[in-house]
Amino acid sequence: ESERLAYRRHMDNLRYQRSVIQTGLIEGHEIGKQEGLIEGIEKGIEQIVLTGNRNGFTVEQIMAFSGLSREKILEIIKTDEKKS
């Protein structure tokens, strides 16, 4: 009887550990998706700014369609120029 109870406790512990691991994986996956989405949006906005700049749009025009501040737009443009 004691071995049977010990076995049940052991199996319960294994199920609990598996549940904790699965929950961590699911939560980690969701966090990763959210971070990836944010990074993708940021890269997309950056491309919009750079494309607008390369096509002769003014900073004011880029501000209007990107929703970014003048400072952020100039920072993106300056960073791109350093890469070139």
Side-chain angles (χ1 to χ4, degrees):
E1 181 65 25
S2 67
E3 287 181 16
R4 190 170 57 79
L5 290 174
Y7 177 76
R8 280 189 178 172
R9 277 194 296 272
H10 174 71
M11 293 306 291
D12 287 344
N13 286 334
L14 289 178
R15 279 195 230 37
Y16 175 74
Q17 289 173 2
R18 184 175 34 225
S19 173
V20 169
I21 291 168
Q22 286 175 337
T23 300
L25 288 172
I26 290 168
E27 289 174 358
H29 181 72
E30 285 301 314
I31 290 169
K33 280 179 25 181
Q34 290 170 0
E35 290 174 356
L37 180 60
I38 291 168
E39 185 177 330
I41 291 170
E42 288 172 353
K43 292 288 184 187
I45 291 173
E46 182 179 305
Q47 280 304 119
I48 289 170
V49 169
L50 295 176
T51 301
N53 182 58
R54 290 178 187 135
N55 285 293
F57 288 90
T58 66
V59 173
E60 289 75 19
Q61 289 170 322
I62 297 171
M63 286 171 59
F65 60 75
S66 71
L68 297 177
S69 68
R70 172 184 299 279
E71 293 77 21
K72 184 65 180 174
I73 292 168
L74 294 175
E75 176 187 322
I76 291 170
I77 292 169
K78 186 175 181 180
T79 301
D80 184 61
E81 288 172 353
K82 286 183 182 178
K83 290 180 188 176
S84 300

